[in-house]
Amino acid sequence: MRASDFLLMHGNGVKEPKRIVAMVQQARAVPGYRPMPIVFNEDDHFDFDKPDNNFAAAVSTHASWATLIFG
């Protein structure tokens, strides 16, 4: 982590938005962490129609969230 410019995290398989928040908190607690962008780039549970979803959880921690759609 000391040599990283940003952290790339995956939300695949994360069914509880609270877990996304915990993942960010755990990453920031790792020795050597310093302020840097945290980006979720994969997530197979969108639930955008619900008030509590992985996207909302990620951005509530000031992490970025993106998804790639192929098709």
Side-chain angles (χ1 to χ4, degrees):
M1 188 167 309
R2 293 183 208 285
S4 298
D5 293 323
F6 65 95
L7 298 180
L8 188 60
M9 302 182 85
H10 290 206
N12 289 334
V14 179
K15 297 179 181 170
E16 292 295 326
K18 289 184 269 187
R19 178 67 186 125
I20 295 288
V21 172
M23 290 168 66
V24 172
Q25 291 169 340
Q26 289 171 335
R28 289 181 174 145
V30 170
Y33 174 82
R34 64 190 190 296
M36 68 180 79
I38 297 176
V39 180
F40 283 87
N41 81 326
E42 290 186 20
D43 190 335
D44 55 357
H45 295 88
F46 306 120
D47 291 333
F48 293 129
D49 58 326
K50 297 179 182 172
D52 195 21
N53 57 61
N54 289 359
F55 163 75
V59 298
S60 77
T61 66
H62 302 282
S64 296
W65 190 93
T67 188
L68 300 174
I69 299 173
F70 297 97

